[in-house]
Amino acid sequence: MELFKSMDTSGEEAKEVQANTDVEKVKCLIIGSGPAGYTAAIYAARANLNPVLYEGLQPGGQLTTTTEVENYPGYPEGVTGPVMMEDLKKQAVRFGTDARWGLATSVSFSGENHKVLIDNKVTIEAESVIIATGATAKYLGLDAEKKYAGSGVSACATCDGFFYKGKDVAVVGGGDTAAEEALYLAGLCRKVYVIVRKDFMRASKVMIERVENTDNVEVLYEHNTKDLFGGNGVEGAILIHKMGTPEEKEVRISIDGFFLAIGHTPNSQIFSEYLETDEVGYIQTEAPSSITNVKGVFACGDVMDPHYRQAVTAAGSGCKAAIDAERYLGEKKR
Ligand code: NDP
């Protein structure tokens, strides 16, 4: 029996797990099934690497939670996130990718080959591993966020902003993402509120200046979101100004869209013992490649990219990871 160090999905508790003795050997293992994972699979399959891809907790990744995708090249009429992911999967399978249900629960990257435990049961021994586990947008934890998901609540202004053209929206957060999203939305919407819980934004100075100097953007400092309201979709938000102080008061704003920009959590917890990450957990790669600090392990998509986070950039980095894996395996054989 092989022992693995396992973490739960929040990465908090480490425990020892015994894997089955059966080990399946593969040339190329891809973990994750968003645009990065499927694109890596298309390229790896066409390079005869016989990739095995595990889809993870949310097959298709974050895009399966969005409705219309209009900014992915090649779909002039737009496409829904789930259909696009299904198309990418079909393309990967067409060239021989073995796409499977299953979640990578722990890894051991200390040997010549890399071992990955699936669903705490099956061990895969891989000559190369491509990590495409993505990132998860943070939410405030309000019931209303679930109620209005896809009908007024979004965690991606670049993806969904267009649907709010000419309307009033709010962005929550005070970092660079919130600033960027507010400026992007300001070009489309009538009015953009930025809801910041402190009395300052932590975004870079230049971004704060741009936000504050944009006519149709209003920054609501020291405001927390208590709830959202509306019939079929979001019609407004209930905010608390100066929460927890004697001057605390409730404020209502009318909005059609509510955008979260309070950070993302890269899904890299199970690799943290082996792979170098930044302080947030984004896997570090040797720019411009997908090469990590462990030989034969490559990372692509949102798990290594705090900056762009677009389906098309994730797909591009998946392509790079497959090419890097193929070159690595080719050199190893020599
Ligand atoms: P950050 O972690 O930098 O900022 C998150 C923001 O959300 C903070 O203002 C934080 O408030 C706020 N927040 C967190 N939780 C809550 C909550 N529960 N309620 C209300 N507000 C909350 O995340 P970003 O995504 O903005 O940026 C991540 C990294 O990526 C940063 O290093 C950033 O600089 C970088 N980045 C760079 C870009 C660029 O260079 N073009 C573009 C986008 C991001 P508080 O300040 O009070 O903690």
Side-chain angles (χ1 to χ4, degrees):
M1 285 277 186
E2 174 133 21
L3 281 178
F4 278 84
K5 260 210 182 119
S6 168
M7 288 194 182
D8 67 10
T9 45
S10 68
E12 274 166 9
E13 279 193 16
K15 58 180 188 239
E16 303 263 287
V17 172
Q18 284 191 332
N20 288 342
T21 37
D22 292 347
V23 174
E24 182 185 352
K25 296 196 176 191
V26 304
K27 235 191 261 183
C28 178
L29 176 69
I30 299 170
I31 310 174
S33 59
Y38 286 139
T39 306
I42 293 166
Y43 275 77
R46 287 170 58 83
N48 273 342
L49 302 188
N50 310 115
V52 170
L53 178 149
Y54 278 94
E55 294 183 330
L57 267 186
Q58 189 182 36
Q62 289 180 78
L63 271 187
T64 53
T65 64
T66 56
T67 45
E68 203 72 5
V69 180
E70 295 184 329
N71 55 6
Y72 196 90
Y75 290 101
E77 304 304 326
V79 61
T80 67
V83 166
M84 190 174 115
M85 288 304 107
E86 203 45 46
D87 282 350
L88 281 174
K89 179 175 175 179
K90 277 189 205 147
Q91 199 174 348
V93 169
R94 178 181 155 213
F95 295 111
T97 300
D98 183 349
R100 303 175 182 175
W101 284 85
L103 179 69
T105 40
S106 60
V107 299
S108 169
F109 287 164
S110 41
E112 166 75 2
N113 285 342
H114 304 302
K115 292 187 181 148
V116 177
L117 190 62
I118 306 295
D119 294 331
N120 280 327
K121 279 200 291 256
V122 178
T123 305
I124 306 285
E125 190 175 317
E127 287 179 58
S128 64
V129 177
I130 295 176
I131 298 170
T133 45
T136 307
K138 290 185 192 161
Y139 284 79
L140 297 171
L142 304 173
D143 289 340
E145 289 170 317
K146 287 193 196 117
K147 181 175 170 192
Y148 297 113
S151 59
V153 171
S154 165
C156 179
T158 329
C159 318
D160 298 328
F162 187 75
F163 303 114
Y164 300 91
K165 211 170 172 180
K167 299 187 171 169
D168 296 348
V169 298
V171 177
V172 190
D176 281 315
T177 302
E180 265 192 4
E181 305 229 326
L183 292 171
Y184 177 80
L185 290 167
L188 294 168
C189 303
R190 189 173 62 172
K191 166 108 191 180
V192 180
Y193 296 98
V194 183
I195 304 168
V196 181
R197 65 181 172 184
K198 292 196 176 130
D199 63 355
F200 65 91
M201 290 183 79
R202 75 155 83 160
S204 50
K205 204 162 172 271
V206 58
M207 293 299 280
I208 298 173
E209 272 168 20
R210 270 188 220 156
V211 166
E212 289 184 336
N213 293 327
T214 302
D215 285 344
N216 60 341
V217 177
E218 184 181 347
V219 184
L220 302 173
Y221 288 108
E222 294 182 87
H223 282 74
N224 280 272
T225 310
K226 183 179 163 196
D227 207 356
L228 302 172
F229 57 87
N232 288 330
V234 170
E235 288 170 17
I238 303 169
L239 312 178
I240 307 291
H241 186 217
K242 296 198 178 233
M243 201 164 78
T245 72
E247 301 110 278
E248 175 176 309
K249 71 164 192 253
E250 199 173 280
V251 177
R252 284 176 179 244
I253 53 171
S254 292
I255 47 166
D256 302 290
F258 183 76
F259 289 86
L260 280 307
I262 59 170
H264 283 72
T265 308
N267 301 320
S268 62
Q269 293 90 343
I270 62 165
F271 313 107
S272 60
E273 193 181 333
Y274 302 97
L275 297 186
E276 281 167 13
T277 64
D278 69 6
E279 65 283 1
V280 180
Y282 287 96
I283 296 174
Q284 305 269 278
T285 55
E286 272 177 36
S289 76
S290 65
I291 295 169
T292 70
N293 61 300
V294 175
K295 274 201 177 114
V297 176
F298 307 89
C300 54
D302 286 11
V303 73
M304 47 71 71
D305 173 18
H307 296 292
Y308 299 104
R309 294 198 292 258
Q310 298 302 298
V312 66
T313 52
S317 75
C319 158
K320 293 204 292 189
I323 292 174
D324 290 338
E326 194 232 331
R327 288 186 183 154
Y328 165 78
L329 292 170
E331 274 163 29
K332 214 173 134 205
K333 246 198 281 175
R334 269 191 226 134

